[in-house]
Amino acid sequence: MQKANDLKEYREELRETLGNDFLRTTLDNFAIAYRAGRANAFKGMDVRGLIKEIADSKDEAARNADALYREFKENAEAAGIHVHFAKDGDEANRIIAKIAKDADCKKIVKSKSMTAEETLLNHDLEDAGLEVTETDLGEWIIQLRHEGPSHMVMPAIHLSRFQVGDLFTEVTGKQQDSEIEKLVKVARRELRQKYVEADMGITGANFAIAETGSIGLVTNEGNARLVSTLPRVHVALMGIDKLLPNLHDALRILKVLPRNATGQAITSYVTWITGNNECLAAEDGKKEIHYVVLDNGRSELIKDPLFSQVNRCVRCGACANVCPVYRLVGGHKMGHIYIGAIGLILTYFFHGKDKAKNLVQNCINCEACKDVCAGGIDLPRLIKEIHARIQDEDGHPLPSFLLGKVLKNRKLFHTLLRTAKWGQKPVAEKDGFIRHLPMIFSKEHGFRALPTIAETPFRDWWKEKRPRVATPKYRVALFSGCVQDFVYPEQMQAAVDVFAANDVAMEFPEEQSCCGLPVQMMGETKASRDVAVQNLRAFEPEAYDYIVTLCASCAAHLKHNYPKLVMDKPALKLRADAFAAKIIDYSSFVNDVLKVDAKDFTQTSEKATYHAPCHLCRGLDVHDAPRQLIEKSGMEYVECAEEEVCCGFGGTFSMKFPELSAELLKKKLDNVEATGADTLLTDCPGCIMQLRGGLKRRGSRVQVKHVAEVMSKNKK
Amino acid sequence: MPSKEDLYQKFVEKAELVSAKVTSIANEDDALKYVINLCDKKEACQLMISGCEADLSDKAEALCDAKQKKVIAAPGLNEDLYKKLAAQSKKAGFECISEGMRDHLAGVDIGFTYAEYGIADTGTLMLDCPSEEMRLATMVSEFHVCVLPKSKIKANTYAVEKMMLTRMKKTPDYLAFITGPSRTADIERVLALGVHGPLELHILIMED
Ligand code: SF4
Ligand code: SF4
């Protein structure tokens, strides 16, 4: 559970976690195994189609939540079950404590339920004098240790077998060794007698099916079957988000849930309970069953046009499995009770602003979570939105406020950049890096070197040197983004060279400014909208076949976010749609549109490896084009491990969490160096800044370049 | 439409992937033979691995002591078949029960059941267990042996949806999909079988 009061304390906590080698290794191994396991489990299936169907059916269920609840209740009651509605966690806990009291229950066995975690049910039941035992092995372990889960599906993933062995020694009063096989058997026997003694069983529900009033439970251990069979009373606690119209919807989710959670085709047990079934421990031979259906802010949430998609979450935990930040810091630091990407969001809604305000800044916006989400939830976008909302409520921190102000005024911003060029003179080295970190950076930023501002920005070069293309095949507008305009103009120049050679006529609209992603990332929604409007006005989409950018982050932001940012202004929205439709990234343009040919390049056979920018591979779903270009341009492409994992730049993220950024970068560079290639290519200037700076600090011989640069150099 | 043979192949492949032990049998007599054999070869208490002697809490140990003889639980069999099994068990020195599972929570050696359907897609057994005895036999047994008639193998869960709905509407009901033995990966993500339910799942696919 996250406890820090402010960002400073939070960073302190993060630093501690970063020092936990066991946790780091486990999470690393898991991340790598998970990716392969998931891919294998979905082999031959139309995953995107399936996720889309789930998203649609869950959205529909959200719209009909009230009617679904009524139908569910009616059918369940007709089958002999008591159905209760709880508006918040306290009420749910009170209802359950009362059921226990009325039925004269003393001992409770529980099968894993995130909803019960959300309401802190165990505390309230224990306060009411009841004995509660978690039976899911991981949950039992953390219950005995008095801590919260560190993963949705594997709650004790942060613990080693030795820690568990010590814990079981304490619990049984007998010495236990640390062999996992044995520890599991000890738990089996210790917990068996808990089932025998319990008079009440509590479970969650993965599905609540309105057409039959049934619930579905998905488990691997089988504890839900015992918990719902042996005690004479069964209580199932579930959020209204579990309501589905029919069995078919549940079966569809079941196809994705275990595959996404652990790479299993299905869990060992899936249990479907309908009606007050047989129970030989009850006086009348019938089990007493209660469903407690929890709102706790959910019905408000599903009315929100943006956040209603949160209802699609099926709690598979995949968003944590792929999150590079979670992989570094684990669940105790990346969420309050719900963890990972969805945890950042749910924490805000279920546990409040104070618990969420540090956590939401922890997202690097790499979109890995969005890419695997079983419900197709745009998690990074929602996280940013919450960040913005919290800042609107709490006031904007000075740096983010200032950056917003500066970016809104293009002229001022550009003047500042030009002035910076003079300011850095005394500390600039000839190799294009700054010798010492400027004062505003703390020493934690020392893991990478920062580049100097270029002598001549691209926009000035363009005025004098722009090529004229006599018989154009295509007309394009160039969008440079600030980094390529002022720091790495040579990348733009290289692209211009390749374009001109392929009969592309180009324009560079001078009124263009920063794409606005940095301020959006800092939660400055208003500033990011203002910058967007400026850029939309600067470009005349109808005049070009394409608008090309060499920066993957700009491209993804321009394409996907601009139309959303101006959604409420119909005229601008039309323009933004037209603009977005014309946006294309460098690699796709050169490979797929211009279709350049290997014979036009000198084949050097030098080895080059590749880093896939998050906003290119996931943001724009571009995978093959850059790799094909590397080969066409005469280099030998060698694949790098975890090529599509974030390099840790994430714009402002690396400023706020340098320790995390450094770790992500370290992994990336280790993988790069392991390929043996001398050149690392990529297509995003932000990634180049991060990767180059990191390699420079390591004293590595690996050179980092934009794909455009090699193409221009090797062009015949 | 996949043929009966294709579905069978697929089922076996998928079930074995999740550590189920699949055997083809010709008839019910084969099934009984299999159960008796298995019970005979099986360690009296599979939980020995944790060392019965010293390392359990006193309460948990007391529960273990309650079990004296090897037990086969076979609720839900038709009467003739049960009689045959009971007779063979008796000869072999095992206790055979069809009810009273609650008196055997320390562990049953073998739970013997029939599946309603098989789901080829995932190697899953579908068992309807409205009776508590059935549920417990499939959960507290150390080995679960389940007969699946070959003709009952369906392609995927959608293909059993109608059948499920019929049962769910004729309440009350307790349906289970069972795929492989009980498993956990909660300690260091290392797979371990038999955490709460059976340590082994044996599927006998019967020609019909
Ligand atoms: S966008 Fe990336 S960093 Fe942010 S929550 Fe998702 S996976 Fe984690
Ligand atoms: S947000 Fe998506 S990926 Fe994360 S737990 Fe929910 S459904 Fe799974």
Side-chain angles (χ1 to χ4, degrees):
Chain A
M1 220 179 273
Q2 202 276 128
K3 302 183 207 69
N5 291 312
D6 53 27
L7 201 58
K8 192 160 159 280
E9 277 181 39
Y10 183 49
R11 275 184 55 194
E12 200 51 53
E13 286 186 7
L14 292 179
R15 261 193 291 266
E16 276 165 32
T17 320
L18 282 177
N20 182 341
D21 288 340
F22 170 78
L23 180 68
R24 301 279 308 285
T25 314
T26 316
L27 291 177
D28 263 355
N29 293 343
F30 172 56
I32 293 165
Y34 169 76
R35 212 171 306 128
R38 179 183 189 267
N40 189 38
F42 277 117
K43 206 162 60 204
M45 290 171 71
D46 172 16
V47 195
R48 297 248 165 260
L50 208 51
I51 289 178
K52 176 79 176 54
E53 282 178 30
I54 292 176
D56 290 346
S57 90
K58 290 282 282 179
D59 284 351
E60 179 72 19
R63 276 191 290 277
N64 298 328
D66 290 345
L68 281 182
Y69 173 68
R70 279 195 302 275
E71 187 186 348
F72 176 68
K73 179 176 161 82
E74 197 175 307
N75 286 325
E77 283 174 349
I81 287 173
H82 310 274
V83 183
H84 314 256
F85 189 84
K87 66 176 183 323
D88 58 24
D90 287 344
E91 188 176 357
N93 295 355
R94 266 199 308 276
I95 292 171
I96 297 171
K98 180 158 189 309
I99 295 169
K101 185 163 166 274
D102 291 350
D104 196 21
C105 299
K106 303 266 171 330
K107 295 190 176 184
I108 298 177
V109 277
K110 264 180 84 205
S111 151
K112 185 179 162 64
S113 154
M114 282 309 292
T115 318
E117 297 285 338
E118 174 188 325
T119 68
L120 301 174
L121 176 64
N122 289 9
H123 295 266
D124 284 1
L125 293 180
E126 280 160 8
D127 285 350
L130 293 149
E131 182 195 304
V132 187
T133 307
E134 296 287 348
T135 59
D136 177 274
L137 178 58
E139 293 289 335
W140 188 51
I141 292 170
I142 61 170
Q143 181 189 34
L144 293 170
R145 285 176 55 101
H146 309 287
E147 27 179 59
S150 58
H151 188 277
M152 236 185 267
V153 180
M154 288 156 296
I157 193 172
H158 57 291
L159 297 173
S160 72
R161 64 188 75 190
F162 305 103
Q163 286 168 297
V164 178
D166 290 349
L167 179 71
F168 283 10
T169 301
E170 216 176 282
V171 169
T172 57
K174 312 277 164 74
Q175 184 62 39
Q176 305 289 350
D177 68 22
S178 51
E179 197 186 311
I180 292 176
E181 193 68 1
K182 286 188 186 175
L183 292 170
V184 168
K185 297 299 181 309
V186 171
R188 176 187 174 101
R189 291 211 292 192
E190 292 295 327
L191 287 168
R192 187 61 66 82
Q193 45 121 0
K194 298 287 181 189
Y195 294 112
V196 175
E197 292 170 354
D199 19 42
M200 181 191 240
I202 299 179
T203 66
N206 295 86
F207 316 111
I209 301 167
E211 69 172 332
T212 56
S214 316
I215 59 168
L217 294 163
V218 177
T219 77
N220 269 319
E221 299 183 359
N223 50 333
R225 291 191 87 208
L226 286 170
V227 164
S228 61
T229 296
L230 283 168
R232 59 194 159 81
V233 181
H234 173 202
V235 175
L237 171 65
M238 66 204 87
I240 55 170
D241 51 305
K242 296 295 158 52
L243 287 163
L244 296 169
N246 50 48
L247 175 62
H248 191 76
D249 289 74
L251 292 176
R252 182 166 47 216
I253 293 175
L254 185 60
K255 280 190 178 195
V256 177
L257 177 58
R259 289 186 164 90
N260 229 25
T262 53
Q264 282 176 280
I266 193 167
T267 50
S268 299
Y269 301 98
V270 182
T271 305
W272 307 92
I273 300 175
T274 315
N276 57 338
N277 49 69
E278 186 184 71
C279 176
L280 301 178
E283 259 168 42
D284 60 352
K286 289 274 183 194
K287 185 173 294 271
E288 178 181 334
I289 303 184
H290 299 260
Y291 292 161
V292 180
V293 183
L294 175 71
D295 187 331
N296 205 22
R298 287 169 173 79
S299 55
E300 277 305 306
L301 198 60
I302 56 187
K303 277 189 222 127
D304 184 301
L306 181 58
F307 283 97
S308 61
Q309 52 182 310
V310 166
N311 186 67
R312 298 178 193 159
C313 175
V314 299
R315 312 276 189 261
C316 65
C319 50
N321 297 349
V322 296
C323 175
V325 180
Y326 171 85
R327 179 169 163 185
L328 288 183
V329 303
H332 289 150
K333 300 289 171 267
M334 186 131 181
H336 179 64
I337 282 174
Y338 291 103
I339 57 102
I342 191 69
L344 302 186
I345 298 166
L346 294 183
T347 299
Y348 176 72
F349 287 103
F350 295 154
H351 306 289
K353 185 177 70 184
D354 284 345
K355 297 268 184 290
K357 65 176 193 271
N358 301 316
L359 297 172
V360 285
Q361 304 191 43
N362 222 334
C363 169
I364 197 168
N365 201 31
C366 74
E367 302 199 354
C369 52
K370 174 181 169 184
D371 203 43
V372 293
C373 175
I377 306 175
D378 191 347
L379 295 150
R381 171 145 191 249
L382 301 187
I383 295 169
K384 288 295 150 254
E385 176 64 24
I386 289 175
H387 187 193
R389 284 189 187 186
I390 294 179
Q391 283 195 7
D392 286 346
E393 288 172 48
D394 277 7
H396 294 230
L398 196 61
S400 114
F401 179 75
L402 282 181
L403 185 62
K405 276 262 179 273
V406 170
L407 277 198
K408 266 181 353 197
N409 185 336
R410 181 181 66 82
K411 289 229 169 85
L412 169 65
F413 175 51
H414 288 173
T415 309
L416 281 177
L417 281 169
R418 286 171 197 274
T419 323
K421 182 177 78 189
W422 300 107
Q424 79 193 7
K425 275 264 146 97
V427 291
E429 290 185 0
K430 280 204 196 61
D431 60 0
F433 290 101
I434 295 176
R435 200 178 316 132
H436 303 293
L437 285 174
M439 290 293 284
I440 54 160
F441 292 100
S442 54
K443 66 173 186 325
E444 286 85 4
H445 287 269
F447 65 95
R448 57 183 178 160
L450 290 178
T452 53
I453 306 273
E455 198 52 40
T456 316
F458 176 72
R459 52 180 63 236
D460 293 358
W461 178 90
W462 176 259
K463 268 186 222 142
E464 308 210 335
K465 307 260 177 64
R466 66 174 295 179
R468 309 281 159 186
V469 175
T471 47
K473 270 197 290 193
Y474 295 100
R475 291 177 184 284
V476 304
L478 303 172
F479 185 92
S480 68
C482 356
V483 180
Q484 274 161 336
D485 196 348
F486 289 94
V487 182
Y488 299 132
E490 65 278 10
Q491 296 171 10
M492 288 299 290
Q493 289 159 14
V496 167
D497 180 38
V498 175
F499 294 170
N502 282 279
D503 298 323
V504 177
M506 292 162 267
E507 289 297 334
F508 181 78
E510 212 193 323
E511 298 294 302
Q512 64 179 283
S513 184
C514 171
C515 69
L517 182 62
V519 272
Q520 170 127 343
M521 287 286 291
M522 293 176 98
E524 298 292 328
T525 316
K526 185 160 180 319
S528 100
R529 189 179 308 123
D530 289 347
V531 180
V533 171
Q534 229 176 82
N535 280 321
L536 287 173
R537 296 218 164 102
F539 284 78
E540 205 54 73
E542 286 74 29
Y544 326 112
D545 298 309
Y546 295 95
I547 300 170
V548 190
T549 170
L550 276 71
C551 172
S553 299
C554 295
H557 185 59
L558 299 172
K559 202 170 186 71
H560 299 313
N561 295 340
Y562 272 29
K564 288 178 196 151
L565 279 168
V566 298
M567 206 139 55
D568 50 346
K569 306 234 169 58
L572 267 176
K573 171 75 168 58
L574 277 181
R575 201 183 173 101
D577 286 339
F579 176 83
K582 294 270 162 88
I583 295 285
I584 191 167
D585 64 282
Y586 172 85
S587 288
S588 302
F589 179 64
V590 178
N591 195 60
D592 307 344
V593 179
L594 298 182
K595 299 192 173 39
V596 295
D597 199 312
K599 71 175 176 0
D600 297 326
F601 297 88
T602 312
Q603 302 296 310
T604 68
S605 300
E606 280 169 49
K607 284 199 175 111
T609 188
Y610 180 64
H611 162 67
C614 300
H615 293 134
L616 193 72
C617 61
R618 285 176 293 276
L620 296 169
D621 205 12
V622 173
H623 304 272
D624 298 338
R627 291 162 173 107
Q628 286 172 5
L629 284 182
I630 293 173
E631 302 231 294
K632 283 183 186 172
S633 65
M635 316 233 7
E636 186 197 329
Y637 161 59
V638 270
E639 194 182 333
C640 174
E642 304 207 72
E643 216 163 69
E644 296 198 341
V645 173
C646 183
C647 66
F649 179 62
T652 47
F653 177 87
S654 60
M655 298 284 296
K656 264 191 221 150
F657 298 105
E659 300 88 350
L660 300 183
S661 177
E663 278 304 314
L664 293 172
L665 180 60
K666 177 177 177 300
K667 271 195 188 114
K668 177 55 74 176
L669 298 182
D670 288 347
N671 286 334
V672 166
E673 291 198 310
T675 64
D678 283 330
T679 307
L680 169 60
L681 296 174
T682 186
D683 22 19
C684 183
C687 301
I688 291 179
M689 190 186 295
Q690 171 91 341
L691 297 165
R692 226 182 236 171
L695 286 164
K696 155 96 180 165
R697 277 283 177 267
R698 285 185 167 207
S700 168
R701 64 186 157 74
V702 179
Q703 295 292 313
V704 190
K705 292 223 155 52
H706 194 286
V707 178
E709 292 178 276
V710 223
M711 300 203 74
S712 164
K713 180 164 151 272
N714 290 358
K715 185 166 62 75
K716 276 185 192 159
Chain B
M1 263 297 267
S3 71
K4 186 170 151 183
E5 203 49 38
D6 291 345
L7 289 176
Y8 163 75
Q9 295 290 352
K10 178 91 181 258
F11 181 92
V12 175
E13 180 199 325
K14 294 293 175 182
E16 285 178 343
L17 266 181
V18 288
S19 352
K21 301 180 198 299
V22 188
T23 310
S24 276
I25 57 168
N27 51 43
E28 290 181 331
D29 285 336
D30 283 358
L32 299 187
K33 226 181 284 161
Y34 187 98
V35 170
I36 297 290
N37 248 328
L38 185 66
C39 192
D40 192 39
K41 281 194 307 218
K42 178 181 173 298
E43 293 274 345
C45 179
Q46 285 295 312
L47 298 170
M48 282 298 255
I49 189 159
S50 66
C52 265
E53 302 77 28
D55 63 359
L56 283 184
S57 69
D58 298 339
K59 265 185 159 181
E61 210 168 295
L63 186 63
C64 278
D65 290 342
K67 180 172 181 281
Q68 298 296 345
K69 212 173 172 189
K70 283 187 182 174
V71 183
I72 299 176
L77 289 195
N78 71 47
E79 214 175 314
D80 288 347
L81 197 60
Y82 180 75
K83 270 192 195 140
K84 271 197 199 170
L85 178 64
Q88 293 184 26
S89 304
K90 194 166 175 204
K91 221 164 93 197
F94 315 140
E95 189 177 352
C96 185
I97 56 173
S98 66
E99 54 181 34
M101 228 62 65
R102 276 183 189 264
D103 301 329
H104 291 273
L105 294 177
V108 162
D109 289 275
I110 293 187
F112 181 55
T113 62
Y114 263 65
E116 306 249 353
Y117 292 102
I119 299 165
D121 215 3
T122 48
T124 300
L125 300 169
M126 176 177 141
L127 269 83
D128 199 1
C129 326
S131 114
E132 183 191 289
E133 304 284 9
M134 265 284 272
R135 254 175 272 162
L136 290 179
T138 59
M139 281 309 291
V140 302
S141 57
E142 287 171 7
F143 293 178
H144 175 196
V145 182
C146 187
V147 178
L148 171 67
K150 200 167 180 179
S151 64
K152 295 290 183 121
I153 302 177
K154 305 287 172 196
N156 51 42
T157 53
Y158 292 166
V160 293
E161 185 180 330
K162 272 221 183 73
M163 281 80 91
M164 289 176 70
L165 271 179
T166 317
R167 289 175 167 79
M168 288 165 129
K169 284 181 173 160
K170 183 190 83 201
T171 58
D173 188 59
Y174 195 108
L175 251 172
F177 291 167
I178 297 178
T179 315
S182 161
R183 63 182 58 219
T184 184
D186 271 353
I187 305 177
E188 291 190 13
R189 282 185 50 252
V190 174
L191 179 70
L193 299 179
V195 52
H196 292 291
L199 291 85
E200 291 183 12
L201 175 68
H202 297 248
I203 303 174
L204 309 180
I205 303 186
M206 190 170 68
E207 292 292 343
D208 65 335

